[in-house]
Amino acid sequence: MGQVKSQFSEDELQDYEDLTYFTKKEILYAHKKFKNLAPEKVGHNKNAKLSMSKVLEYPELKANPFGDRICKVFSSSNDGDITFEDFLDMMSVFSDAAPKSVKAEHAFRIYDFDGDDMIGRNDLKQVIQRLVDYNSDLGHNDIDQLINNILEEADLDDDGALSFAEFEHIIDKSSDFINSFRIRL
Amino acid sequence: MARHRAVLSDATFHCEVNEVGNRRQQQQQQQQTDGNDGIMSRARSEEDKIEVVTDEPLEGNVLSSVEDQFQSGPAVVGANVSFSQSFRRWSSNFGRSVKNNKRTVYNKTIRLMPSRIQKTLSIDGDLITTSASDVDHITMELGQREQLMEDNPIAEQLRIETIKSIAHKISTKRAIREQLSQTVNRRATRAKSIGLLRRYRYSAKLYAARTAKLLQSVVTNFELFYGSMKQIEGHFGSRISAYFKFLRRLLVLNLVLLLFIVSFVVFPQLLAGSDTVGAQETAFHLRDLFTGEGYLSDSVLYYGSYSNRSFTLVPGTAEYSLPHAYFLTITILSLATFVVVSVSMGRAYRISFIESSATVQNILTHKIVCSWDYGIANAKAARLKHATILNELRDYLAERNRAPAVVGRWQRLRADALHTAAHLTVLAVISAVGACLWALLVRFGSTDHFRTWAALYVSVVANGTLGAFGYVCQLLGRLEHYRQTATQLNINLLRHFLLQLTIVGVLLAYWLTRPHPPTVCWETLIGQELYRLLVVDFFIAIVLQGAIRGVRYLLHTQYGSEGRKREGTLAQLLLTPPPFCIETHSLGLVYNQTLVWFGVLFAPLLVLLVALKLLLTFYINKFELIYLCQPPVRLWRSSQTQTLFLVLVFVSLFGVLLTHGYLIMQVPVTDTCGPFRGTQYMYQLFMQGILKLREEHLFWRVFVYITKPAIIGGVLLTMGVATYYLRAKSRAQIAKVKLLKELLCMEAKDKEFLLANLSKVARGKECTEHAQQQLAERIELVAGARLNGTADKYYTDPCATWRYEDSPRRAVDEHPLDGSSCSGYQRFEDDEQLRMRRT
């Protein structure tokens, strides 16, 4: 434990504590978990950049169908490679202390596959397919019907896609979102 | 403020046009040199649009750059208006608040922080997430807030909180923080030094914040069962871990109760030594642990062995009056627990029922967005979750596609009759159980002290019926078909709860009404009975049922393949792995807690027993879940269920408090044992000893007056009227929401109409520079009119009505380039391109 602590100075820890929703102890714990992904590389440089495939070995991300989207959203270089700061950012957003608005924002970015700031039909189609793990039991007609129903329910101004405001409106009304959009460190 | 707003938005408007225009020109040239990248389907990139339409990347270079600038104008108008619009929304909401206390500022700044600024500026199609302009813009916005930019520690805290909630990378946030502190320092050098009083207030607040943070970190350090919870959550998801969280919360509550009871009541009694008259030295048998009799009946476990004198613990100090300590500790703890439980119940109810009451309209979206549990860390659990989601979606589709069942009158009648029959059966069963229990008590309760195992009959019967009732309910549930599973489960829950209440009520009634000779300590008897109930419940509900599940699991592993062959038979039912029933377990917890709260007046150390029991239950349940049982495939909304359990806990606590009140006021105390010997009723000790009141005192008379029925009736009536008023208010707001939604749709239609007209008008004109200018002006005019218009409601709605410029209705589709996100403006521009190329 002393070894890990000596890698970070008190100032750096305070800095991270101010910028994320973690305490100092949790930040050190997060670093430990980050290091477990690639011990030698992180041992050399505590803010090392790990490739997406390495990061996707983290258990919660591996089991998650949106794992690659999560990496892309939180990666500072936008190609899926994660540094420790990105990882800390990710865990902070997924922690219990993050408010609903921050979580809603990031959930929107994750589900917006093509990055056009709207969740359109293609995005919804991808989301549904990934949720059922590309199971062939849910055919194209079924998916289209689901998408139509979603847009009917949630698209308030009838433009064929969900904007962030509409998305946030749904999230505000649901109490289960906070429980499910959470990764314990 | 309004003028300031307009000026600011205009400023940004202009600088954005230039900046983005230049940027786009550079990028345009760069992309020309890179060559035609092929038709990329990124709809939002202007350059790509040009490539796609013209197919001649090099020729229309000069023209396209001009068009580009022209094009970037209105597009930037769109984008920039969104930015300034969101900024305007934020600042207007902020300016509206009269109180500038911390909470209001927090709500207005952090919760409404427009995190979408960066999005609306990146029109290039790339999500360039970190650019210098982002940092500048956010800093500029934050710099407008007076409260944030002060140079005192409170504002600094607020700054830190605001920055934490910005949805950007850590490096961006760091840069923002740097810039903000520079600005603050610059401004602060001109300020005067603060006075002494203010400095003290600041330091006090700072210390308070620091201690709060320290306390919070201490609490999270000692989070019980952290490793187990992580394992459960990773394997089974958050719904099952909600049950374990409930268990952990109850355990912590009990431990806190235990701490207080031990330190104030038990410990002094132990120090003072036993003082029962005629103490019988009974030997300790193992049986006594189960029956609570014998050796234990004279120990500090029960009420009877507490002395009623005051004594000095440490020689030289004041006297420590044990009866007062006993009474006060128990009553204060009960009231405090009641307050805590009711507050948490109120909060949970608000979150899961009231705020999500509108979700009845958004069922599918809610399902899609919130269905994946991000805490799952295990491939098997992930597969299970995928299967669950698939089932839910298929069920949903089947439900929608099913022709609406025309329920004939006969069928409805039949269904109603079935339901009523089931309810009546359940009520009959419950009353039968009650009567049976009463008979048993009369038969066995006549002897005063049990030295043999016979004492356990009552407890065994009570708990046995509870267990068997579960199966009866399942059977009934299969017979009566409820349309929604949620209703079915809620009704099940209520039936179980009713049975528990009946059992506890019957036992209570019996003990209180039974005449007993004055030498016998009836409080101790009640305490013993409760002890027995708890111990037997532990063995039956947990150990025995755990064993049954283990046996079922073994059968499943041995003969599981055979069972699969015979579908739908009893054999198959027996041979599947046992399900992990959350509701049954949670109800068991509620039952335990009720018994403990009731018994804490009579046997203070019951809390220790229950704490141990909860600890063991946690580990046994975890073992069952991981190795033996199969987690339930269909779970309904867990937050509502959790709230329901909290409500049940609240209801039982309320009932217990009422009973205690009755006991304290109306039931005479035994003369020979316990700390209240010498007074007739328990409360008299409190009144006379502590408040030193006599019957004729003014306070006493006021108290008696207040508790008259008429006054209480009047209070209840007022509460009823207040509730009605609040309900009427909430209905009015629901109607208002509906109206606003319609307004939104209308506005979208307005925009479409306007755009169509504009393009019609523009097509009719000659294509010259002048025309382009005019067009640009007209667009600016329209956009400007929108900007400075009187219709302020455009700025208060944050939805995509401005986005609408970029993605109109599908009906207006003339150039279906890539379907979904073709922009109306772009299409309009494409028309322009085509026209200009032709000329």
Side-chain angles (χ1 to χ4, degrees):
Chain A
M1 189 60 181
Q3 192 185 16
V4 178
K5 199 165 167 69
S6 65
Q7 280 196 325
F8 283 104
S9 70
E10 190 67 31
D11 282 337
E12 285 175 353
L13 282 179
Q14 181 65 41
D15 187 41
Y16 283 138
E17 194 182 10
D18 283 341
L19 294 172
T20 64
Y21 290 100
F22 281 143
T23 61
K24 295 194 180 72
K25 191 162 188 278
E26 286 167 337
I27 294 172
L28 290 170
Y29 188 55
H31 187 82
K32 192 164 82 154
K33 299 208 101 172
F34 187 67
K35 198 165 172 184
N36 283 341
L37 292 172
E40 322 85 27
K41 201 163 174 194
V42 180
H44 284 302
N45 167 21
K46 64 180 186 278
N47 201 16
K49 183 184 264 212
L50 298 185
S51 72
M52 186 155 81
S53 48
K54 261 280 164 50
V55 176
L56 283 178
E57 285 173 20
Y58 191 75
E60 276 90 350
L61 291 178
K62 192 164 167 185
N64 197 321
F66 301 107
D68 58 330
R69 281 299 305 164
I70 297 177
C71 288
K72 284 225 178 65
V73 163
F74 283 100
S75 152
S76 30
S77 47
N78 286 332
D79 55 358
D81 292 345
I82 304 268
T83 67
F84 172 62
E85 283 191 356
D86 299 333
F87 181 74
L88 199 64
D89 203 15
M90 187 198 304
M91 287 296 139
S92 160
V93 166
F94 280 117
S95 74
D96 274 330
K100 219 177 197 181
S101 55
V102 170
K103 289 195 193 228
E105 167 73 42
H106 285 98
F108 187 76
R109 286 189 203 166
I110 291 175
Y111 293 139
D112 183 16
F113 281 80
D114 48 14
D116 62 349
D117 211 25
M118 304 276 279
I119 297 188
R121 296 189 75 103
N122 281 336
D123 298 328
L124 283 175
K125 188 164 182 174
Q126 286 238 25
V127 167
I128 295 178
Q129 278 178 335
R130 282 196 190 204
L131 276 178
V132 295
D133 207 13
Y134 295 101
N135 199 317
S136 53
D137 278 347
L138 213 60
H140 284 288
N141 289 338
D142 292 333
I143 296 186
D144 280 337
Q145 192 180 356
L146 285 172
I147 295 178
N148 286 334
N149 284 340
I150 293 177
L151 289 175
E152 190 184 306
E153 281 177 359
D155 193 8
L156 294 174
D157 56 0
D158 270 348
D159 56 359
L162 292 178
S163 71
F164 176 66
E166 289 156 349
F167 186 79
E168 195 176 19
H169 185 251
I170 300 170
I171 300 283
D172 260 345
K173 295 291 173 200
S174 101
S175 47
D176 282 332
F177 176 69
I178 298 223
N179 288 337
S180 59
F181 202 74
R182 170 171 50 200
I183 294 183
R184 216 170 235 274
L185 191 55
Chain B
M1 189 74 175
R3 190 161 164 274
H4 164 74
R5 265 189 260 153
V7 162
L8 187 67
S9 70
D10 286 341
T12 48
F13 175 93
H14 290 302
C15 84
E16 270 316 291
V17 168
N18 294 333
E19 184 192 326
V20 178
N22 288 339
R23 206 163 31 150
R24 294 174 68 64
Q25 257 195 329
Q26 290 169 6
Q27 276 197 333
Q28 174 73 11
Q29 286 156 7
Q30 194 198 24
Q31 207 147 14
Q32 297 299 338
T33 53
D34 288 345
N36 189 358
D37 253 4
I39 299 178
M40 297 197 289
S41 62
R42 280 191 320 186
R44 291 183 72 248
S45 163
E46 280 5 318
E47 297 92 317
D48 292 346
K49 274 289 159 264
I50 297 176
E51 307 291 343
V52 164
V53 169
T54 62
D55 253 6
E56 320 161 60
L58 300 171
E59 271 150 88
N61 199 353
V62 175
L63 204 58
S64 53
S65 63
V66 167
E67 291 152 10
D68 180 42
Q69 196 160 25
F70 154 72
Q71 200 176 38
S72 66
V76 169
V77 162
N80 210 43
V81 163
S82 313
F83 160 63
S84 48
Q85 168 241 318
S86 59
F87 166 68
R88 188 165 304 192
R89 164 175 56 100
W90 186 35
S91 69
S92 73
N93 277 334
F94 183 76
R96 218 175 284 154
S97 75
V98 176
K99 303 180 287 229
N100 276 339
N101 56 7
K102 183 165 183 237
R103 181 150 199 98
T104 326
V105 170
Y106 176 81
N107 281 338
K108 301 295 184 210
T109 53
I110 294 173
R111 284 178 57 192
L112 293 180
M113 179 79 183
S115 53
R116 318 295 300 160
I117 308 166
Q118 163 261 325
K119 280 299 165 62
T120 62
L121 290 181
S122 66
I123 3 172
D124 300 345
D126 259 349
L127 272 182
I128 303 172
T129 47
T130 324
S131 70
S133 62
D134 288 339
V135 176
D136 291 333
H137 280 111
I138 299 182
T139 320
M140 187 172 59
E141 279 206 34
L142 287 177
Q144 306 301 322
R145 304 278 161 273
E146 286 306 314
Q147 274 83 345
L148 284 183
M149 300 314 274
E150 290 169 15
D151 188 27
N152 53 43
I154 301 168
E156 180 161 337
Q157 294 274 21
L158 212 54
R159 270 202 300 274
I160 292 182
E161 300 242 344
T162 317
I163 291 178
K164 259 193 221 187
S165 64
I166 297 177
H168 282 286
K169 309 270 177 301
I170 287 188
S171 34
T172 321
K173 289 197 259 195
R174 211 179 267 139
I176 295 175
R177 192 179 59 171
E178 292 289 327
Q179 289 200 357
L180 273 184
S181 48
Q182 277 174 10
T183 320
V184 167
N185 284 336
R186 229 174 342 142
R187 291 191 194 171
T189 48
R190 291 177 267 140
K192 301 191 283 276
S193 69
I194 49 182
L196 197 69
L197 190 66
R198 214 179 240 200
R199 207 182 308 154
Y200 280 145
R201 212 179 59 187
Y202 287 155
S203 50
K205 284 194 188 169
L206 204 65
Y207 279 130
R210 219 178 280 167
T211 38
K213 209 188 279 189
L214 191 69
L215 213 68
Q216 196 187 32
S217 70
V218 162
V219 162
T220 50
N221 273 350
F222 288 127
E223 191 179 332
L224 274 179
F225 304 129
Y226 185 79
S228 312
M229 296 291 285
K230 174 114 171 102
Q231 194 182 7
I232 291 171
E233 206 167 278
H235 279 73
F236 300 104
S238 67
R239 288 175 176 180
I240 295 195
S241 79
Y243 160 71
F244 284 94
K245 280 202 186 119
F246 183 54
L247 207 162
R248 186 176 64 179
R249 199 199 282 195
L250 283 180
L251 180 62
V252 167
L253 190 71
N254 281 330
L255 283 177
V256 167
L257 277 178
L258 184 68
L259 187 69
F260 279 106
I261 289 182
V262 162
S263 51
F264 286 116
V265 175
V266 177
F267 202 54
Q269 175 64 45
L270 282 175
L271 282 182
S274 151
D275 121 318
T276 49
V277 176
Q280 309 140 314
E281 280 303 313
T282 44
F284 181 76
H285 291 275
L286 192 61
R287 182 179 58 227
D288 291 337
L289 266 186
F290 293 107
T291 60
E293 300 277 352
Y295 178 74
L296 286 177
S297 63
D298 293 326
S299 67
V300 263
L301 184 58
Y302 299 118
Y303 168 99
S305 65
Y306 285 90
S307 81
N308 72 337
R309 302 170 295 122
S310 23
F311 37 77
T312 53
L313 286 170
V314 178
T317 57
E319 284 199 338
Y320 186 84
S321 161
L322 192 64
H324 292 137
Y326 192 94
F327 186 84
L328 277 179
T329 319
I330 305 278
T331 39
I332 291 181
L333 280 179
S334 308
L335 288 174
T337 322
F338 183 68
V339 166
V340 163
V341 165
S342 52
V343 163
S344 64
M345 178 197 81
R347 201 183 321 145
Y349 185 79
R350 174 171 60 87
I351 291 179
S352 44
F353 278 93
I354 297 180
E355 279 182 5
S356 39
S357 62
T359 324
V360 281
Q361 300 135 19
N362 288 342
I363 296 181
L364 180 62
T365 327
H366 179 262
K367 260 200 236 273
I368 297 278
V369 168
C370 308
S371 59
W372 182 262
D373 189 350
Y374 280 68
I376 292 183
N378 172 337
K380 182 168 139 207
R383 270 200 302 274
L384 192 65
K385 191 76 184 176
H386 282 303
T388 315
I389 296 179
L390 182 66
N391 280 334
E392 275 189 29
L393 287 178
R394 278 216 295 236
D395 283 348
Y396 176 84
L397 281 173
E399 172 109 19
R400 292 286 287 226
N401 288 340
R402 181 173 60 190
V406 178
V407 182
R409 202 178 303 163
W410 278 123
Q411 283 189 323
R412 211 181 311 152
L413 214 61
R414 213 186 69 158
D416 282 340
L418 208 60
H419 289 331
T420 341
H423 289 319
L424 284 175
T425 325
V426 166
L427 283 174
V429 166
I430 291 182
S431 3
V433 167
C436 192
L437 211 56
W438 184 274
L440 254 179
L441 279 170
V442 166
R443 164 91 172 73
F444 280 107
S446 49
T447 51
D448 292 328
H449 284 271
F450 304 94
R451 306 270 164 185
T452 62
W453 295 97
L456 290 176
Y457 287 168
V458 170
S459 326
V460 167
V461 166
N463 290 313
T465 41
L466 273 179
F469 193 70
Y471 293 112
V472 168
C473 270
Q474 262 185 4
L475 202 64
L476 268 179
R478 236 179 273 274
L479 286 179
E480 48 172 21
H481 302 283
Y482 278 99
R483 289 260 312 278
Q484 298 181 336
T485 34
T487 334
Q488 168 82 46
L489 291 159
N490 285 346
I491 290 192
N492 244 1
L493 219 67
L494 286 173
R495 283 178 185 161
H496 271 103
F497 189 60
L498 201 62
L499 180 66
Q500 282 176 3
L501 277 183
T502 319
I503 290 183
V504 174
V506 160
L507 289 169
L508 223 75
Y510 177 71
W511 292 322
L512 289 179
T513 58
R514 180 180 71 159
H516 37 255
T519 51
V520 153
C521 217
W522 61 267
E523 296 95 351
T524 315
L525 285 183
I526 295 188
Q528 285 171 338
E529 197 62 52
L530 284 171
Y531 177 89
R532 284 195 288 266
L533 267 179
L534 282 171
V535 169
V536 170
D537 173 69
F538 176 67
F539 280 106
I540 288 190
I542 297 179
V543 173
L544 193 67
Q545 293 213 347
I548 292 180
R549 285 194 201 108
V551 166
R552 264 184 81 170
Y553 179 73
L554 284 175
L555 280 179
H556 168 73
T557 46
Q558 295 282 340
Y559 303 110
S561 50
E562 280 188 27
R564 262 190 288 273
K565 282 186 226 152
R566 308 174 204 163
E567 287 272 335
T569 61
L570 194 64
Q572 200 229 1
L573 283 175
L574 280 178
L575 293 179
T576 50
F580 185 78
C581 211
I582 298 186
E583 319 91 58
T584 325
H585 286 131
S586 309
L587 273 176
L589 290 180
V590 173
Y591 176 62
N592 270 324
Q593 205 56 37
T594 320
L595 290 178
V596 155
W597 275 326
F598 183 65
V600 88
L601 186 62
F602 303 113
L605 279 182
L606 272 184
V607 184
L608 175 65
L609 177 71
V610 166
L612 281 174
K613 195 172 157 188
L614 285 177
L615 201 67
L616 287 174
T617 314
F618 186 90
Y619 285 112
I620 293 182
N621 277 342
K622 186 180 139 195
F623 177 77
E624 272 177 19
L625 186 64
I626 294 183
Y627 295 108
L628 298 181
C629 299
Q630 167 195 5
V633 176
R634 287 198 165 93
L635 288 168
W636 76 112
R637 300 176 50 183
S638 73
S639 61
Q640 291 197 335
T641 329
Q642 286 306 306
T643 316
L644 204 58
F645 284 121
L646 268 179
V647 169
L648 291 179
V649 166
F650 173 77
V651 165
S652 29
L653 184 55
F654 189 65
V656 163
L657 278 183
L658 281 180
T659 321
H660 275 179
Y662 172 73
L663 276 172
I664 289 178
M665 300 283 215
Q666 300 289 347
V667 177
V669 175
T670 318
D671 280 329
T672 49
C673 61
F676 299 118
R677 305 168 236 185
T679 60
Q680 200 200 3
Y681 296 118
M682 289 189 207
Y683 74 93
Q684 285 175 341
L685 183 75
F686 178 63
M687 286 293 175
Q688 291 158 9
I690 296 178
L691 295 184
K692 303 220 179 353
L693 287 179
R694 295 270 162 236
E695 290 271 330
E696 305 83 24
H697 202 263
L698 179 68
F699 179 76
W700 186 250
R701 272 186 281 164
V702 167
F703 184 69
V704 167
Y705 186 74
I706 288 181
T707 50
K708 279 207 174 13
I711 307 279
I712 294 193
V715 166
L716 285 176
L717 194 67
T718 321
M719 279 167 53
V721 168
T723 315
Y724 179 75
Y725 166 73
L726 288 172
R727 184 169 179 271
K729 208 162 130 183
S730 81
R731 294 204 119 182
Q733 290 196 335
I734 290 178
K736 193 171 165 192
V737 163
K738 219 163 117 178
L739 275 176
L740 284 174
K741 280 195 188 166
E742 281 176 29
L743 202 66
L744 233 85
C745 277
M746 301 279 195
E747 283 189 19
K749 290 195 185 124
D750 281 347
K751 295 280 166 48
E752 183 200 347
F753 174 72
L754 259 149
L755 277 178
N757 273 354
L758 270 178
S759 61
K760 256 189 260 169
V761 163
R763 248 179 246 134
K765 277 189 169 275
E766 282 297 299
C767 173
T768 53
E769 278 280 335
H770 181 61
Q772 286 181 22
Q773 281 290 351
Q774 271 197 351
L775 214 47
E777 272 171 29
R778 183 160 305 181
I779 293 162
E780 279 186 33
L781 205 70
V782 169
R786 293 285 188 232
L787 265 179
N788 305 321
T790 52
D792 222 62
K793 59 179 170 4
Y794 284 133
Y795 310 124
T796 54
D797 81 81
C799 100
T801 29
W802 273 116
R803 274 275 154 243
Y804 186 77
E805 290 169 9
D806 298 335
S807 48
R809 305 185 79 101
R810 289 175 290 271
V812 196
D813 213 349
E814 285 181 310
H815 290 281
L817 287 162
D818 66 335
S820 55
S821 35
C822 271
S823 102
Y825 255 146
Q826 290 169 351
R827 206 166 302 115
F828 163 50
E829 301 318 320
D830 299 336
D831 284 354
E832 285 299 303
Q833 309 309 319
L834 277 179
R835 234 177 358 97
M836 283 187 276
R837 266 179 198 79
R838 278 187 222 124
T839 56

